[in-house]
Amino acid sequence: MLNLKRQRGIFKGLLLTTISRSATFKILTTQDMKIAIVTFFIFLLLDCSTATAYYADSAEVGTLSGLVVDKANKARIPGVTIRIQNTTIGAITNSAGKFNIKGVPLGVVILRVTSIGYTERIIPDVVISSGKPSQIVVELEESTLESNGTVVTANAFQRETESITSTTYFTAEEVRRAPGVQEDVIRAIALVPGVAVTTAGRNDLAVRGGAPFENLFIVDNIEIPNINHFGSQGSSGGPLSLINVALVNGVSVSTGGFGPKFGDRLSSVTNLTLKDGNSVRIAGEINLSATGFGVMADGPIGKSTTFFASVRRSYLDFIFSLAGLGFIPEYWDFNTKVTHEVDDFNKISFVGIGALDKVKFNNTAENLYKNSRVVAPSQNQYFTGITWRHLFSAGYSNVTFGRWYSDFSTIQQDSLGTNIFQTNSAEGENSLRADIVLNLSSNVELTGGLIGKFASTLKYDVIIPGYARLNSVGVPSPLTIDTSFTATKAAVYTQITFRALEFLKLTAGGRLDYFSFVNQSTNFSPRFSALLELSSNTNFTVSAGRYFQAPQYIWLVGSKANAAALKPLSADQIVGSLEWIAMPDLRIQVEGYYKSYANYPVRQFRPQAVLSPFGFDDVYSDIPFGLEPLSSTGTGNSYGIEFFIQKKLSQNSPFYGLISLTLNRTQFVASDSINRLGAFDTPFISTTAIGWRPNGEWEFSTKFRASEGLTYTPFITNEQRANETGFPVGSRDFSLYNQGGRLPFFYALDIRIDKRWFLSGVQIITYIDIQNLTGRKNVSGYQWNQQTLSIRTQESIGILPSIGINVAF
């Protein structure tokens, strides 16, 4: 009879073989899925039964080092006590604010950080590995007294200075372990209230009824229009983020009411901070996930410099080719960060992230028609930035020089394999940003900044046939463009935050934006917020402001008149929030919001509709990327109420999770003056995510998401209706824009199991993630089938299991 150790090896080999056969499981046979799932659970049970013997000979402790700084001025804090909860293990920071703790239990621990004059802080989800060294930077806030003399108690939730309402923070570990997210930082955002996902296979996010192009993404102080592979031009979505979650330190998501530091977007700000490389030794990781394979390395370069670098490649092209599928995607991405500590007051960091995305067609006789209804978006892109941070006695400053560049090559073919739609575009923008934070006193903080952007590369070569670009009365209007131009953006902002009373904090500021390429080029945005401390654990906050956003560059080439006709989009917003920290690890929040749109782009060829593009996939269905005449005459509003409960991991409970519920309504008025539901109107959105970590080795989690379907526009299905509208059979009937009803109710149940192994100098994390466990084929849209002259339902696939392995050493 085989001993347990050998049994474990056999099952591991079988599991890895199944992974290598079908890593994404999107084209698995039923037998493959059963083998993978059953093998994993047998391995799970065997490992549980032999856990004691298995870990007896391995090192069961690790080391945690880090730095503690003042959140207001980033100054290093000596004498801070850092303790691992539920243990007597800890350390005190030295004169440089640094600490090093040895003998830390392996797995995921919780820190309690205390210092005289600062609010105590609890930090959950600190990963201690037997492989790569663990490091952390902790920010502490000066403590304040409530009116009754009590000190604010510690909790596991942090508040962002720039956004006091509608803001949620996720650690990298929370993103990595979330079921159904595929370790994608953008998909994780859909967990928060007010965020709707347009389709199951993409991460185009509609925040509080707004279009995906209204979302701002910032990576280490660099503003990026789209951080996705195969990104939608002129929007912000795509199927997968190009940011490796291993490089992410944390993600802050604000869905409204953000301060004047952020602008040129109407709906949301997602701020990603990246890790520095560890300063102890060269370490590495190997990752095999549901979508690709990656290698990573980080460590010191000399005494004062660290680096982090990763390379990932998808293997979807191999799998899709073997399966004979017609649509074959391939991608690479490259992430790097280098940080140099000049001295205790100056730090310079460099970030470089790039991606190579390619789609090709396998045009067999069977695939030709299927491929004719799919756009192939190949894309090469990168963004880079250099940031200098300088500390001084009253605050700090950041200066960032950045550049982003995207080269788009998008085609669609007919059923004979001939290109009928083609765009070759290049967009590149250079930016210089300077921000300063001044602490005028313990109760007054002044911030300000300057932003300059120059789009030095804007080149567009576009061909759209007339039958795919019909005007408002159905007359073909072909478009052929070969043009280039430049554009300039600039902004200045300031904000003051002060404690008017012991229980009242006020923030007021404004932002002035300049856009060189549109009418109404100069725009002022006032912002205001107030935080009323009802008790030591209950706050009421309100924020209000005006927000402007420049039209997307590609919209300018849809018509010669667009540059003169378009103005910056605007939205006036007010948000009210009641937050109760029921326990140090539990917060309950209720928010209400109202958003009023103006100068929204209206489609002159579709006068019933405002422009609301997202994941474009078929030139026969609609005109792509806003390449049509537009005018800034649209108005709209969005309002709703959100309920949010968030539970962090703590010493009192091994459970964590969140529950969010959103009730929302979004409406727009276009050229025909009729008030219609918005393209992203989602009256009901609910997400429940629950996790259980019984010990440092095992983790079990599940997520259930449900929402009402989006509105859709019906098709013209007969000649009589075609004659009435002037559009051919199979076209969308825009006279009934968004009046075709709703897509069926959406719901999906995901589960995930994570297992950590701690060996000598190596940590292995394996997981199985089963998406859509109920097998429901959610409808993402409808498409006209020209072969059968009928409507085809676009459905997601059923159960989608995937397995991942990460080895750190």
Side-chain angles (χ1 to χ4, degrees):
M1 183 175 180
L2 294 173
N3 60 35
L4 288 177
K5 184 175 181 180
R6 188 176 177 189
Q7 286 178 333
R8 292 160 57 93
I10 292 173
F11 282 113
K12 284 175 68 175
L14 180 57
L15 186 62
L16 291 172
T17 300
T18 307
I19 294 170
S20 64
R21 286 181 57 190
S22 305
T24 66
F25 288 89
K26 294 182 179 178
I27 57 169
L28 285 182
T29 65
T30 302
Q31 184 178 3
D32 283 331
M33 288 194 290
K34 289 180 178 179
I35 291 174
I37 296 172
V38 171
T39 301
F40 183 86
F41 281 103
I42 292 175
F43 185 32
L44 183 155
L45 293 172
L46 284 172
D47 191 80
C48 287
S49 66
T50 60
T52 302
Y54 184 68
Y55 293 110
D57 298 328
S58 62
E60 296 188 8
V61 294
T63 300
L64 174 66
S65 59
L67 177 68
V68 182
V69 300
D70 187 301
K71 186 174 183 178
N73 58 23
K74 310 304 179 186
R76 303 182 180 200
I77 309 174
V80 178
T81 300
I82 301 95
R83 188 169 298 280
I84 311 298
Q85 284 200 347
N86 294 330
T87 75
T88 58
I89 302 169
I92 298 176
T93 58
N94 62 18
S95 59
K98 296 182 178 181
F99 66 89
N100 185 61
I101 307 175
K102 296 181 179 180
V104 183
L106 298 180
V108 181
V109 300
I110 302 167
L111 302 184
R112 181 175 288 270
V113 185
T114 57
S115 180
I116 296 175
Y118 289 89
T119 300
E120 184 179 17
R121 186 170 172 196
I122 298 172
I123 304 176
D125 295 309
V126 179
V127 179
I128 307 298
S129 171
S130 56
K132 61 188 302 182
S134 302
Q135 292 189 311
I136 188 173
V137 176
V138 180
E139 294 186 343
L140 295 182
E141 292 185 81
E142 286 192 20
S143 59
T144 57
L145 292 177
E146 300 297 320
S147 56
N148 60 4
T150 61
V151 179
V152 176
T153 57
N155 63 72
F157 306 97
Q158 64 183 71
R159 185 182 300 278
E160 299 299 317
T161 306
E162 299 88 357
S163 307
I164 66 170
T165 58
S166 310
T167 302
T168 305
Y169 182 84
F170 293 107
T171 65
E173 176 64 12
E174 288 175 315
V175 172
R176 187 203 65 79
R177 71 189 182 206
V181 168
Q182 298 178 348
E183 301 186 353
D184 186 331
V185 293
I186 306 305
R187 289 179 186 268
I189 296 170
L191 297 173
V192 306
V195 180
V197 179
T198 56
T199 60
R202 294 178 57 87
N203 57 25
D204 305 84
L205 305 178
V207 178
R208 291 179 171 173
F213 65 74
E214 298 177 27
N215 303 323
L216 175 63
F217 295 93
I218 301 173
V219 180
D220 264 18
N221 218 34
I222 311 165
E223 296 183 8
I224 312 299
N226 196 326
I227 59 173
N228 288 288
H229 288 286
F230 307 103
S232 299
Q233 191 168 6
S235 191
S236 65
L240 180 71
S241 169
L242 53 86
I243 307 290
N244 190 335
V245 69
L247 182 55
V248 174
N249 183 59
V251 185
S252 172
V253 185
S254 177
T255 55
F258 43 90
K261 180 179 180 179
F262 306 123
D264 199 15
R265 288 298 185 272
L266 302 182
S267 284
S268 75
V269 176
T270 299
N271 198 346
L272 287 82
T273 56
L274 304 183
K275 297 176 182 176
D276 295 336
N278 83 84
S279 59
V280 179
R281 64 171 177 82
I282 300 295
E285 289 187 43
I286 299 174
N287 178 267
L288 179 69
S289 71
T291 54
F293 173 81
V295 293
M296 292 148 275
D298 73 303
I301 307 174
K303 184 178 180 181
S304 303
T305 306
T306 62
F307 81 96
F308 188 110
S310 78
V311 178
R312 296 189 300 180
R313 190 201 191 283
S314 71
Y315 34 62
L316 300 180
D317 52 324
F318 301 121
I319 298 171
F320 283 26
S321 295
L322 289 173
L325 299 182
F327 184 81
I328 303 175
E330 171 191 336
Y331 73 77
W332 291 78
D333 62 44
F334 313 90
N335 293 202
T336 186
K337 181 175 182 179
V338 178
T339 304
H340 176 64
E341 298 276 356
V342 180
D343 53 38
D344 289 349
F345 304 99
N346 295 278
K347 181 171 76 171
I348 297 174
S349 60
F350 167 81
V351 172
I353 294 179
L356 304 175
D357 304 333
K358 184 178 181 180
V359 173
K360 59 183 179 180
F361 291 124
N362 177 21
N363 278 330
T364 63
E366 181 183 357
N367 290 330
L368 272 171
Y369 177 73
K370 294 179 181 178
N371 288 344
S372 72
R373 304 311 301 266
V374 177
V375 165
S378 297
Q379 179 182 3
N380 297 329
Q381 60 180 312
Y382 69 83
F383 63 88
T384 62
I386 298 176
T387 298
W388 168 42
R389 168 169 287 186
H390 173 65
L391 310 183
F392 47 89
S393 58
Y396 66 95
S397 63
N398 285 325
V399 178
T400 301
F401 174 74
R403 175 173 172 80
W404 62 261
Y405 176 85
S406 291
D407 189 343
F408 300 92
S409 179
T410 305
I411 64 170
Q412 186 169 348
Q413 300 178 341
D414 62 16
S415 57
L416 299 176
T418 303
N419 289 356
I420 58 169
F421 163 58
Q422 182 172 332
T423 67
N424 292 294
S425 307
E427 297 179 347
E429 184 179 86
N430 306 304
S431 63
L432 179 62
R433 179 183 189 112
D435 303 282
I436 189 169
V437 177
L438 294 171
N439 297 289
L440 303 182
S441 71
S442 59
N443 291 322
V444 181
E445 179 184 270
L446 180 66
T447 63
L450 300 169
I451 304 104
K453 302 177 182 178
F454 177 61
S456 58
T457 306
L458 296 171
K459 299 179 180 179
Y460 303 94
D461 183 357
V462 180
I463 299 174
I464 305 177
Y467 60 81
R469 191 175 182 266
L470 304 178
N471 69 12
S472 60
V473 293
V475 176
S477 303
L479 180 67
T480 301
I481 298 172
D482 187 358
T483 187
S484 63
F485 57 97
T486 60
T488 302
K489 298 179 181 180
V492 58
Y493 76 89
T494 187
Q495 174 178 285
I496 187 168
T497 300
F498 60 97
R499 187 169 289 277
L501 300 169
E502 288 184 350
F503 54 86
L504 178 63
K505 182 183 289 187
L506 300 178
T507 300
R511 179 185 176 102
L512 186 67
D513 281 287
Y514 170 75
F515 309 122
S516 70
F517 47 94
V518 291
N519 266 331
Q520 193 179 309
S521 57
T522 303
N523 304 272
F524 178 69
S525 307
R527 312 279 173 88
F528 169 82
S529 64
L531 186 152
L532 178 64
E533 296 169 349
L534 302 178
S535 69
S536 61
N537 58 1
T538 306
N539 297 317
F540 175 76
T541 57
V542 63
S543 62
R546 174 163 291 180
Y547 299 82
F548 287 96
Q549 177 176 344
Q552 302 289 71
Y553 292 131
I554 194 171
W555 300 351
L556 303 177
V557 302
S559 169
K560 292 181 180 179
N562 278 2
L566 289 174
K567 300 177 182 179
L569 295 69
S570 71
D572 293 335
Q573 300 184 36
I574 183 168
V575 182
S577 175
L578 181 64
E579 180 188 61
W580 175 40
I581 306 297
M583 292 185 288
D585 59 353
L586 177 68
R587 74 165 173 150
I588 300 172
Q589 180 177 284
V590 179
E591 284 198 343
Y593 64 88
Y594 182 85
K595 182 164 49 174
S596 177
Y597 287 100
N599 296 339
Y600 217 82
V602 170
R603 306 176 59 185
Q604 297 302 295
F605 283 178
R606 307 289 182 265
Q608 306 86 356
V610 297
L611 185 64
S612 52
F614 59 106
F616 177 74
D617 61 0
D618 183 13
V619 74
Y620 291 106
S621 296
D622 206 357
I623 301 170
F625 307 141
L627 291 169
E628 57 185 300
L630 303 170
S631 65
S632 294
T633 56
T635 60
N637 60 74
S638 179
Y639 53 91
I641 187 169
E642 298 168 353
F643 304 89
F644 189 44
I645 301 174
Q646 186 178 19
K647 168 72 170 63
K648 294 278 190 176
L649 193 71
S650 71
Q651 64 176 348
N652 299 319
S653 171
F655 295 95
Y656 59 85
L658 58 84
I659 300 173
S660 69
L661 172 65
T662 301
L663 305 176
N664 167 77
R665 175 63 74 206
T666 304
Q667 300 169 314
F668 281 97
V669 178
S671 293
D672 66 352
S673 301
I674 297 176
N675 197 9
R676 288 184 168 87
L677 294 176
F680 304 104
D681 177 70
T682 313
F684 172 85
I685 308 170
S686 175
T687 301
T688 300
I690 300 173
W692 175 45
R693 181 180 288 149
N695 53 50
E697 299 154 12
W698 288 97
E699 194 160 355
F700 306 86
S701 57
T702 184
K703 179 186 71 178
F704 181 77
R705 184 174 179 85
S707 69
E708 284 201 54
L710 297 176
T711 58
Y712 70 91
T713 302
F715 288 93
I716 297 172
T717 59
N718 56 68
E719 291 295 338
Q720 179 181 348
R721 187 59 181 162
N723 293 331
E724 292 172 355
T725 61
F727 286 78
V729 171
S731 302
R732 296 279 185 178
D733 190 347
F734 272 87
S735 65
L736 299 174
Y737 177 65
N738 283 351
Q739 296 178 25
R742 291 188 178 275
L743 300 180
F745 194 84
F746 171 95
Y747 67 84
L749 175 65
D750 307 327
I751 64 170
R752 177 174 171 129
I753 301 174
D754 288 72
K755 174 69 173 72
R756 282 182 165 86
W757 283 271
F758 303 108
L759 311 177
S760 179
V762 178
Q763 174 181 269
I764 301 174
I765 302 176
T766 60
Y767 70 83
I768 181 168
D769 190 315
I770 305 176
Q771 299 179 52
N772 196 18
L773 186 64
T774 63
R776 178 177 173 81
K777 294 187 176 182
N778 289 296
V779 176
S780 60
Y782 300 109
Q783 189 178 63
W784 183 258
N785 188 318
Q786 196 63 40
Q787 288 182 319
T788 62
L789 299 180
S790 62
I791 298 172
R792 183 178 73 88
T793 301
Q794 296 173 300
E795 297 179 334
S796 63
I797 60 177
I799 299 175
L800 178 58
S802 60
I803 290 176
I805 298 177
N806 181 275
V807 181
F809 51 90

